Amino acid sequence: MKATVDDAGRIAESDETNNVCSEQITVSKAASTPTPTQTPTPTPTEDPSDVPKPYKAHAMPGRINFVDFDFGGEGVAYHDTEAGNQGGYAYRTDSADVDIGERSGVNVPVVSHTYAGEWIQFSEVQVAESGTYVATFYTSTTEDGKSFSVLVDGKKVATVDAPNTGDWYTFAPITVQIPPLTAGKHTIQITMDTGWVDMAYVEFATEAPTPTPTATPTVTPTPTATATPKPTQTPVPTPGDEYGAGANPTGNPPIGGGDGYTDIISRNDPPRVKFIVDTRSELLSALQSARSGDIIYVEGNANIDMSGYFNVRVPTGVTIASNRGGEDGAAGGRIFQNRLANDNRPPSEYWPPLFKPSGAGTKFTGLRIEGPDKTTSASDLRCGIQTNYQMEVDNCEIWGWSGAGIAVYGTGGGGSDMKNGGYFHHNNIHHCQRSGVGYGIVVANGAVSLIEANYFDYCRHAIAGDGHVDNGYEVRYNLFGYNFPKSNNAHVVDMHGVSTASGNVAGDRLIIHHNTFEAISTTDYCIAVRGIPKTGAYIDHNWIKYTGDPIGRTGVTTSQLNTRMYIGENKGPNGQILSTLNQRIISTSLS
């Protein structure tokens, strides 16, 4: 591996596929830079906590210095992938493991040495008046195509494309509009899509400058002769109810994505879109060449046959995108797999996936990913996407996978935001229903995920977990359809159990709220908890139309029934408000 060192102390590898080097690299210290004209005064020491707490008071309109992110520690106030302060500048007093550097181009220390998937959080930002705001970010980077996301109260509201400033000491402004906010306190999170951006500060104002439009060249798409199946339509829940999916605060985009979804990547989106593909060979070639931050765009009329291909690697930080829900309610590019007589399925794998990310920060958006198995029987198991790293899937239609549509393994990242383990939202996931398995989304081996605003139907379990003591999920604002057949031992949201020295445990933290369960009597039960959660199961504000006992339990006795089960108000099948939910013990064993 050859390496060079830039003027901010980063090592840039010539072969990014090999990140191990036994050589010692000596870096000459750059000439000292002038002392900044102002240095903010650090806030007194605060011990790490499981609950984020403001490091300083922040307001909108106003300025926020990125080094003044919350108290709370790793996974609570921030996420940093590299140990120690690579920036080398001591500013904070709470031992936060975030890289902070000093740059002569601005009058504050900066958050530096950023990598894909890292984030910082600012809680209790006081918004003075309800309305639309603009945010002007001051950043530096030496590369094109670097970006980060802005989240308000857990919802992504903007993607910021950091301009290439030529060196790390030159900071340039970039302005984005923030959707309307209500007056009061909000939480803002900055998440690195690609990394490789130094972050100084952001200024919020109430009026947006009028942007100058940039001409985009028109590119003629490559025609594809294969007929495209009609996409499945997503039902719309009753809006405006404080119970069930109708309370969905994500508003527009709609539950299940598709027509009306707004966060769609355009094929004419330079410099982020580096590859445009509509054949298997083009897709595989692009995946070989793509690097973190790149987008591979699948043509909206594409039908890419991936039969016989398994464990197709998606590089760290790479996005595969199409236009589902775009102009005229576009269906989105289709990537599919059929069964072949000799399709080289890896015999030792439980459910070999079509796609398998190689690292964190990958994203699938606006696609249709179709498997070969739509019924309750299949000769072996298949999986659509399997990951061992943080990943986002949004606005996709995923169906026909006998094992699981999406499988998430060992991502960890519980903290205050389960999104850090996996984020799956505004998807239509259906016909993953093979007997004995058939999961829409499954978490396993200590994985956590935020699962919101999806539509699920024709699954054996829409959402499942293998019971590992560190598994968890937050399931919210999802619409679960009518078709979870009792004949297939179906139930909708599930966490298996495992036997431990202290008893039968069913995951760690299970948060299930503001979902609508449409199945009236055909399902076995709506929610299954097969043991006692390590931290707790929190179930409230759902609309459950099932007429039987909505919660099924295994692995517990009657005296254990309410142990760490925190059940609040929910709405019943006749619209009545239920102060609790009946739990039915299926078996005192785990099976």
Side-chain angles (χ1 to χ4, degrees), residues 52 70 76 119-125 149-158 178-181 185-191 248-251 253 261 263 363 390 392-394 416-420 422-426 449-453 474 476-477 513:
D70 282 352
V76 177
W119 54 268
I120 51 177
Q121 180 171 292
F122 306 85
S123 60
E124 299 185 23
V125 177
S149 296
V150 183
L151 290 81
V152 177
D153 301 329
K155 176 186 174 184
K156 181 177 176 179
V157 298
I178 304 298
L181 299 176
K185 293 180 179 179
H186 294 270
T187 296
I188 296 175
Q189 186 181 100
I190 306 298
T191 299
N248 172 31
T250 67
Y261 195 76
D263 191 13
K363 181 175 180 178
Q390 188 278 336
E392 180 177 359
V393 181
D394 75 296
S416 62
D417 191 345
M418 294 198 187
K419 185 186 302 182
N420 299 319
Y423 186 30
F424 311 111
H425 61 103
H426 299 95
S449 293
L450 172 60
I451 304 169
E452 69 174 354
E474 181 172 3
R476 64 188 188 189
Y477 312 117
H513 65 97

Side-chain angles (χ1 to χ4, degrees), residues 182-318:
T182 57
K185 293 180 179 179
H186 294 270
T187 296
I188 296 175
Q189 186 181 100
I190 306 298
T191 299
M192 304 310 299
D193 300 332
T194 63
W196 216 252
V197 179
D198 280 0
M199 313 285 292
Y201 58 91
V202 58
E203 293 178 334
F204 292 98
T206 54
E207 293 183 1
T210 302
T212 302
T214 302
T216 302
T218 302
V219 181
T220 303
T222 304
T224 302
T226 309
T228 302
K230 184 178 179 181
T232 302
Q233 298 299 311
T234 304
V236 178
T238 303
D241 199 316
E242 65 174 306
Y243 295 87
N248 172 31
T250 67
N252 188 9
I255 289 175
D259 194 10
Y261 195 76
T262 55
D263 191 13
I264 297 173
I265 293 174
S266 168
R267 71 189 305 279
N268 299 317
D269 187 11
R272 294 195 302 161
V273 173
K274 297 294 179 66
F275 309 90
I276 298 178
V277 305
D278 74 345
T279 67
R280 179 173 61 206
S281 60
E282 290 174 350
L283 174 60
L284 293 175
S285 175
L287 288 169
Q288 287 289 326
S289 302
R291 294 294 181 263
S292 182
D294 290 350
I295 294 175
I296 300 171
Y297 185 86
V298 178
E299 293 282 23
N301 62 349
N303 285 279
I304 300 179
D305 187 351
M306 297 296 292
S307 302
Y309 285 78
F310 300 93
N311 293 297
V312 176
R313 290 289 182 170
V314 181
T316 300
V318 167

Side-chain angles (χ1 to χ4, degrees), residues 297-457:
Y297 185 86
V298 178
E299 293 282 23
N301 62 349
N303 285 279
I304 300 179
D305 187 351
M306 297 296 292
S307 302
Y309 285 78
F310 300 93
N311 293 297
V312 176
R313 290 289 182 170
V314 181
T316 300
V318 167
T319 294
I320 306 178
S322 192
N323 66 340
R324 178 174 182 252
E327 186 175 357
D328 298 323
R334 173 175 170 246
I335 302 174
F336 68 96
Q337 185 184 85
N338 290 322
R339 287 181 176 269
L340 303 177
N342 295 295
D343 61 6
N344 299 313
R345 180 192 186 278
S348 62
E349 293 190 45
Y350 184 61
W351 52 36
L354 171 55
F355 290 113
K356 191 169 187 178
S358 296
T362 56
K363 181 175 180 178
F364 298 80
T365 180
L367 296 158
R368 289 180 298 144
I369 303 174
E370 178 184 359
D373 306 314
K374 282 81 173 175
T375 69
T376 59
S377 61
S379 58
D380 54 51
L381 302 181
R382 307 288 174 96
C383 176
I385 308 169
Q386 177 180 313
T387 185
N388 297 82
Y389 305 94
Q390 188 278 336
M391 172 181 73
E392 180 177 359
V393 181
D394 75 296
N395 190 34
C396 288
E397 182 179 3
I398 299 173
W399 78 107
W401 299 101
S402 51
I406 299 170
V408 191
Y409 285 83
T411 58
S416 62
D417 191 345
M418 294 198 187
K419 185 186 302 182
N420 299 319
Y423 186 30
F424 311 111
H425 61 103
H426 299 95
N427 300 291
N428 183 352
I429 301 176
H430 59 96
H431 288 90
C432 298
Q433 57 178 345
R434 199 259 206 186
S435 178
V437 277
Y439 310 134
I441 299 173
V442 60
V443 297
N445 294 358
V448 302
S449 293
L450 172 60
I451 304 169
E452 69 174 354
N454 302 284
Y455 175 66
F456 294 90
D457 207 4

Side-chain angles (χ1 to χ4, degrees), residues 7-69:
D7 60 356
R10 287 181 174 78
I11 298 176
E13 299 176 15
S14 59
D15 179 6
E16 294 186 356
T17 63
N18 178 7
N19 289 323
V20 179
C21 179
S22 60
E23 301 276 345
Q24 181 174 357
I25 300 175
T26 304
V27 181
S28 298
K29 185 175 181 181
S32 60
T33 56
T35 302
T37 54
Q38 298 178 17
T39 301
T41 302
T43 303
T45 301
E46 180 87 1
D47 293 331
S49 168
D50 291 333
V51 179
K53 177 182 176 182
Y55 190 80
K56 287 188 176 181
H58 300 299
M60 295 173 60
R63 168 171 158 168
I64 296 177
N65 297 328
F66 288 119
V67 290
D68 293 328
F69 55 87

Side-chain angles (χ1 to χ4, degrees), residues 35 114 125 188 193 430 432 479 494 516 526 549 566:
T35 302
T114 59
V125 177
I188 296 175
D193 300 332
H430 59 96
C432 298
L479 176 59
D494 166 271
T516 296
C526 292
D549 294 330
Y566 307 105

Side-chain angles (χ1 to χ4, degrees), residues 472-539:
Y473 46 57
E474 181 172 3
V475 177
R476 64 188 188 189
Y477 312 117
N478 298 284
L479 176 59
F480 300 103
Y482 295 91
N483 301 287
F484 290 82
K486 190 172 185 177
S487 60
N488 196 25
N489 293 317
H491 41 275
V492 184
V493 178
D494 166 271
M495 182 60 74
H496 285 229
V498 294
S499 178
T500 72
S502 58
N504 296 334
V505 177
D508 181 12
R509 197 159 53 107
L510 320 179
I511 306 173
I512 306 167
H513 65 97
H514 291 97
N515 303 283
T516 296
F517 296 82
E518 292 284 5
I520 296 174
S521 59
T522 57
T523 192
D524 204 0
Y525 29 86
C526 292
I527 300 169
V529 182
R530 308 191 195 192
I532 298 174
K534 185 173 70 173
T535 297
Y538 305 84
I539 305 171

